[in-house]
Amino acid sequence: MTTEFLIQNADTVLTMDDARRVLHGADVLIRGGQIAAVGQGLQTAGEIVSGRGCVVTPGLVNTHHHLYQNLTRAVPGAQDALLFGWLQRLYPIWARFTPDEMFVSAQLGLAELALSGCTLSSDHLYLYPNGARLEDTIHAARDIGLRFHPTRGAMSIGESDGGLPPDSLVEDERAILDDMIRVVDGFHDPSEGSMCRVGLAPCSPFSVSRELMRDAALLARDKGVMLHTHLAENDEDIAYSEAKFGCRPGQYAEDLGWTGDDVWHAHCVKLDAQEIDLFARTRTGIAHCPCSNCRLGSGIAPVRAMRDAGVPVGLGVDGSASNDMASLSAEARQAMLLQRVANGADAMSAYEALEIATRGGADVLGRPDCGRLEPGKRADIAIWDTTGIASSGSWDAAAMLLAGPTQVKHLFVEGKQIIRSGEITTLDLPRLIERHGEMARALASSF
Ligand SMILES: [Zn+2]
């Protein structure tokens, strides 16, 4: 197998290095799993990949997803509902899932992400019906070859305890903590260049107890893994926090150990100025999910204010039940557009949105070895053909987000070519789509 590639004579290379260099007519040399050199006139004894007519970027990083939801796209009754009503429509369907559904849905979701330029994805799996386990998704990521940060999610407050999910989807808190230990010990790889890092992720403050939030934080510190949850997603969420806990979500998070550079929260649409300051001081990260926030009518996250304050921000496509199109390049475009809706046309450039989608996400996930094109960093690289119809006539690489394309031509993860000329090399995509579609139709026929 080729272990050396030279991406040669790319029209534009967006390095996202510390100087944010933008190079023209440049090469990127990949050796093993790392970037060996970036510059002009590089030589190789390995394989040459033409960069002519292309923009080369670091692979995009997805900081929030629920891969299992690919089987519940555009579900009638959940298409136009607000968050809590949406959850109640979908829970009974998800309760039917088995390990097969988890695996196939994750494969489909990861393939979709890869085509949209993603090389590193996290996932938040917080329900384990019918014997499903976190490794169902880990195996899916290993097969396709994406770098993966699965998180062991959890729900413990069911309907009979005044919670939202049906009792069949919640777990005993002792069993949750035991399984968190099992998956960290079994699958977490802390080394540089790691292809799999496990995080701990109670679903949200309204689906687990205060004790589980606290214990998960203590366990994460003990094991040296990261923490993730949903926070301050919409007005209902803030009202629940104030009524139930007597404080805003930022205070709740801080009290239970859920701030720090080893924590990232999804959404945070409703953070106020004090909470933004808290997250900036503690380097607590945010997974910004603009399409999901639009789809569920949650609002516009104050990303401009967060970035200006120094809060680490990455992008997330969120689950396919609340953003039916899980394209990370489209998500970056939406992030740019939404800040402009809130703050004006100069509020976010295409380059800044791409920075959030690459380097920003890598930093949120604790991966400074990813998200930049510079020697010594991991060879996670997206190559975008700008000679097609989407970007024809464009004068600048900013067309990547202002126009297109939305799918990559080539994709490298850890120096391996996962996508070649638009085709995934590691799995049979038409067969996967067929199997996935059959599964979804089988579920739909009983609801
Ligand atoms: Zn989510």
Side-chain angles (χ1 to χ4, degrees):
M1 192 173 185
T2 310
T3 56
E4 186 165 309
F5 291 91
L6 181 65
I7 302 163
Q8 195 171 52
N9 201 20
D11 283 12
T12 307
V13 177
L14 302 176
T15 65
M16 299 298 169
D17 64 8
D18 289 347
R20 308 296 190 273
R21 286 184 307 150
V22 177
L23 309 175
H24 298 286
D27 310 332
V28 180
L29 181 64
I30 301 169
R31 189 173 293 140
Q34 286 184 315
I35 294 168
V38 180
Q40 277 158 336
L42 302 180
Q43 302 292 319
T44 185
E47 186 176 330
I48 291 177
V49 177
S50 174
R52 197 178 289 273
C54 294
V55 174
V56 178
T57 68
L60 309 191
V61 177
N62 182 35
T63 61
H64 186 63
H65 207 336
H66 311 287
L67 287 163
Y68 74 90
Q69 292 181 3
N70 281 283
L71 284 164
T72 48
R73 283 172 153 152
V75 171
Q79 290 171 17
D80 311 312
L82 298 178
L83 178 66
F84 285 14
W86 172 89
L87 284 170
Q88 281 164 323
R89 165 69 177 130
L90 290 163
Y91 282 142
I93 305 173
W94 296 335
R96 298 280 286 275
F97 281 29
T98 72
D100 265 358
E101 273 78 16
M102 294 300 182
F103 176 80
V104 172
S105 194
Q107 271 207 322
L108 194 289
L110 290 165
E112 185 182 17
L113 280 173
L115 287 166
S116 75
C118 176
T119 51
L120 163 59
S121 183
S122 65
D123 188 47
H124 188 186
L125 181 56
Y126 53 81
L127 41 88
Y128 296 85
N130 310 307
R133 296 187 299 175
L134 190 67
E135 51 265 47
D136 300 327
T137 61
I138 293 172
H139 295 153
R142 204 179 278 166
D143 279 5
I144 189 169
L146 254 64
R147 205 180 294 283
F148 196 44
H149 284 207
T151 61
R152 206 303 180 184
M155 298 192 293
S156 61
I157 302 178
E159 264 172 339
S160 59
D161 293 322
L164 275 182
D167 289 349
S168 66
L169 277 182
V170 303
E171 299 172 272
D172 170 74
E173 295 199 340
R174 187 62 246 171
I176 290 167
L177 287 164
D178 285 346
D179 198 53
M180 285 176 166
I181 293 167
R182 182 187 72 83
V183 293
V184 170
D185 290 348
F187 300 100
H188 178 69
D189 173 7
S191 66
E192 182 166 334
S194 168
M195 292 296 288
C196 183
R197 285 197 191 160
V198 177
L200 306 184
C203 183
S204 63
F206 57 81
S207 54
V208 300
S209 74
R210 176 186 283 269
E211 290 70 35
L212 186 67
M213 291 293 287
R214 185 201 57 208
D215 291 349
L218 292 171
L219 179 60
R221 272 44 192 255
D222 184 48
K223 294 283 187 187
V225 301
M226 292 187 73
L227 285 166
H228 181 50
T229 193
H230 294 100
L231 201 78
E233 182 165 352
N234 64 7
D235 289 331
E236 286 170 288
D237 205 344
I238 302 294
Y240 183 93
S241 184
E242 285 174 338
K244 183 87 191 262
F245 309 129
C247 63
R248 288 187 51 90
Q251 176 85 55
Y252 187 72
E254 187 179 27
D255 288 350
L256 296 173
W258 278 76
T259 51
D261 63 2
D262 55 352
V263 183
W264 84 107
H265 295 284
H267 302 303
C268 294
V269 173
K270 297 294 178 181
L271 287 197
D272 68 13
Q274 263 187 319
E275 289 168 319
I276 290 172
D277 180 57
L278 168 68
F279 279 36
R281 276 190 284 112
T282 55
R283 304 291 298 159
T284 306
I286 286 169
H288 173 46
C289 307
C291 289
S292 172
N293 297 158
C294 289
R295 164 80 152 76
L296 293 173
S298 301
I300 302 175
V303 172
R304 182 69 277 150
M306 291 169 177
R307 294 261 303 167
D308 290 346
V311 178
V313 180
L315 287 184
V317 297
D318 205 357
S320 286
S322 65
N323 171 16
D324 311 70
M325 182 176 76
S327 161
L328 199 48
S329 52
E331 202 69 37
R333 184 170 200 270
Q334 189 74 8
M336 171 187 75
L337 295 177
L338 214 47
Q339 289 311 301
R340 293 174 178 217
V341 172
N343 302 304
D346 58 354
M348 185 174 287
S349 69
Y351 290 109
E352 185 178 6
L354 275 169
E355 179 182 320
I356 295 171
T358 53
R359 181 186 175 110
D363 289 349
V364 164
L365 295 182
R367 295 305 297 257
D369 55 338
C370 300
R372 309 83 173 125
L373 302 180
E374 54 179 301
K377 301 299 181 185
R378 309 320 300 177
D380 292 3
I381 303 171
I383 303 176
W384 310 81
D385 183 355
T386 52
T387 62
I389 190 163
S391 46
S392 181
S394 61
W395 293 30
D396 186 85
M400 269 273 316
L401 290 193
L402 290 167
T406 54
Q407 293 204 337
V408 287
K409 181 176 187 184
H410 306 300
L411 190 76
F412 289 86
V413 184
E414 189 66 5
K416 296 190 178 67
Q417 192 163 10
I418 303 300
I419 295 176
R420 188 183 292 261
S421 301
E423 303 283 337
I424 297 179
T425 61
T426 46
L427 53 76
D428 182 344
L429 187 61
R431 207 169 129 232
L432 172 63
I433 293 169
E434 195 183 329
R435 189 169 173 213
H436 185 257
E438 276 166 15
M439 271 184 175
R441 281 190 294 279
L443 283 164
S445 68
S446 51
F447 284 94

